[in-house]
Amino acid sequence: MEKFKAGMVLGAAGDALGYRKGRWESCTSGKKIQEELASLGGLGTLKLDPDNWPLSDATLLHMTTAEALITDYWCLEDLYRELVRLYVEAMVSLQGRTPDPATMEGCVHLKPHNYLLAWHTPFNEKGSGFGAAAKAMCVGMRYWQSERLENLVEVSVEIGRMTHNHPTGFLGSLTTALFASYAIQGKPLVSWGRELLKVIPLAEEYCKKTIRHMAEYQENWFYFEAKWQFYVEEREIEKEEQNKPLFPDHYDADETDKTYKRWSSEGCPGRRGHDAPMIAYDALLAAGNDWTELCKRAMFHGGESEATGLIAGCLYGLMHGMSKVPSGLYQDLDKRERLEELGEALYKAASADKCLDNHLN
């Protein structure tokens, strides 16, 4: 349970650090951010509080998703209806926090009063952003057991396409949910990328079953898969026997920025559903259990650092807990109490599923 709480809290801390009230989120140079951080006294001296280090809209939507996942739904359609209701409400409360435009556009098409089609949104050519990926780790926490993979695939795809109805967007939510489940299962980190490539076809099968937008999906599906295939090959971890990722000898802030830019689709690292989880994953591979190193690579780079910080922080918490993280980064963190409650409730909901399965068997 402690690691579930750590996942929710450290995800939010990673977001607050990468966001820095919008200042670092919009900065294009990791080196500049790291120099500014040093002038503030370094990571260990920071005290994150709601006024100076607020959470961005990305964490608030992750929390909103978690709120729905801990309700007592009878079937997944009920869960989706609850999510639609909460997302529409959240759009009102996010005023002033500059929510991701694709999320806002997606939410406009949600229909809380339409019982059958509440969560069916049109295909969105611009729905390839990071927003779906950044709100889905809690799906992996709710359905973390390997025998729940089918639920995880379905729910992560559906919550993704409610707001980001484009394969690059909703395959991002599949990725972060899957990685969260792997973190809890204790799967070797180095295997996550290649395992993802085996699960993507299950998402395609699910989408075919729902017969929505398949022509548009097929046109855009290949990009996400190709980018991840390229990534695991670049790090030399695409085969089962490859257990040591290959990193450049000098992988400093400038080098990291260059690499991340190469993975991105329009020169802004972390802006899309494929590269936000990729940067977070790469940072985890490079950092091991070193929180400071993780922050350097996932929270303090040029690009959408609040999204990559949120994903990386959450996955780190699920794997390593909070013992190596300076307490100033979470003690007075915005919404800390609710984040811990959500972590605990997700743990209990996932455990109750397990008990129910045992009972039914």
Side-chain angles (χ1 to χ4, degrees):
M1 188 195 291
E2 289 311 310
K3 285 187 174 171
F4 275 65
K5 290 191 304 215
M8 292 303 290
V9 170
L10 294 184
D15 166 66
L17 285 167
Y19 183 54
R20 202 190 167 193
K21 232 175 175 174
R23 179 172 177 159
W24 285 348
E25 170 213 28
S26 56
C27 182
T28 54
S29 162
K31 190 177 179 187
K32 196 171 165 203
I33 291 170
Q34 290 177 29
E35 283 168 358
E36 253 184 69
L37 175 69
S39 74
L40 293 170
L43 189 63
T45 65
L46 294 183
K47 301 268 183 283
L48 302 194
D49 62 64
D51 292 335
N52 300 300
W53 299 88
L55 305 178
S56 81
D57 61 296
T59 292
L60 298 179
L61 278 172
H62 187 223
M63 292 174 76
T64 302
T65 308
E67 295 282 0
L69 285 162
I70 61 170
T71 55
D72 198 10
Y73 47 90
W74 280 100
C75 62
L76 292 181
E77 283 79 8
D78 281 350
L79 168 65
Y80 304 150
R81 288 181 193 105
E82 180 61 7
L83 271 162
V84 165
R85 188 182 72 75
L86 290 175
Y87 284 159
V88 169
E89 272 181 17
M91 283 304 105
V92 179
S93 62
L94 287 176
Q95 297 305 320
R97 287 196 196 235
T98 57
D100 160 41
T103 301
M104 291 200 73
E105 194 182 324
C107 284
V108 165
H109 296 288
L110 294 171
K111 302 174 274 291
H113 305 300
N114 184 328
Y115 188 78
L116 288 176
L117 303 172
W119 61 96
H120 292 211
T121 55
F123 175 76
N124 183 1
E125 200 59 63
K126 295 183 184 146
S128 59
F130 65 80
K135 66 177 178 177
M137 289 77 71
C138 54
V139 175
M141 294 163 74
R142 179 69 171 78
Y143 297 112
W144 67 266
Q145 298 99 334
S146 54
E147 61 271 26
R148 294 243 159 232
L149 181 61
E150 214 173 290
N151 291 127
L152 182 148
V153 170
E154 175 178 338
V155 176
S156 61
V157 166
E158 288 296 1
I159 71 136
R161 58 187 185 172
M162 278 180 200
T163 53
H164 293 71
N165 200 352
H166 185 292
T168 308
F170 66 71
L171 289 175
S173 51
L174 169 72
T175 304
T176 57
L178 191 67
F179 285 180
S181 77
Y182 288 166
I184 298 163
Q185 286 172 35
K187 257 190 197 275
L189 181 61
V190 75
S191 71
W192 295 6
R194 56 178 177 256
E195 290 297 320
L196 166 66
L197 289 165
K198 294 178 195 166
V199 174
I200 289 174
L202 301 182
E204 192 168 14
E205 282 309 305
Y206 173 72
C207 289
K208 280 178 182 160
K209 268 197 304 198
T210 66
I211 56 167
R212 287 168 18 220
H213 318 294
M214 274 322 288
E216 292 102 326
Y217 288 173
Q218 273 163 340
E219 267 179 52
N220 294 279
W221 198 272
F222 174 72
Y223 181 79
F224 189 98
E225 251 176 317
K227 280 287 194 181
W228 270 91
Q229 186 63 48
F230 167 78
Y231 170 78
V232 294
E233 285 171 13
E234 182 174 343
R235 287 284 175 258
E236 295 192 359
I237 51 172
E238 77 273 21
K239 297 190 179 80
E240 301 291 333
E241 64 274 13
Q242 293 173 314
N243 289 317
K244 200 163 171 18
L246 178 75
F247 283 97
D249 290 338
H250 301 292
Y251 203 39
D252 60 9
D254 286 341
E255 210 44 54
T256 313
D257 279 353
K258 263 187 241 164
T259 303
Y260 292 174
K261 223 175 228 181
R262 201 159 32 81
W263 298 341
S264 71
S265 57
E266 52 175 56
C268 180
R271 182 163 286 176
R272 297 277 167 257
H274 72 283
D275 64 335
M278 193 179 281
I279 289 168
Y281 178 54
D282 195 66
L284 287 160
L285 277 174
N289 67 356
D290 185 332
W291 171 259
T292 305
E293 192 60 30
L294 181 76
C295 289
K296 249 198 246 175
R297 295 170 188 278
M299 290 71 154
F300 307 136
H301 65 84
E304 296 288 351
S305 43
E306 86 287 12
T308 55
L310 166 56
I311 297 165
C314 181
L315 296 172
Y316 178 96
L318 292 173
M319 282 194 291
H320 305 295
M322 295 171 78
S323 61
K324 293 188 183 318
V325 179
S327 60
L329 299 184
Y330 56 82
Q331 230 154 23
D332 300 316
L333 183 69
D334 196 5
K335 302 193 180 350
R336 177 191 162 185
E337 213 169 282
R338 187 59 191 148
L339 287 156
E340 288 185 344
E341 287 166 3
L342 287 169
E344 190 173 325
L346 284 163
Y347 174 82
K348 286 178 176 165
S351 307
D353 279 352
K354 191 82 171 159
C355 298
L356 190 62
D357 285 352
N358 291 341
H359 180 63
L360 294 172
N361 293 337

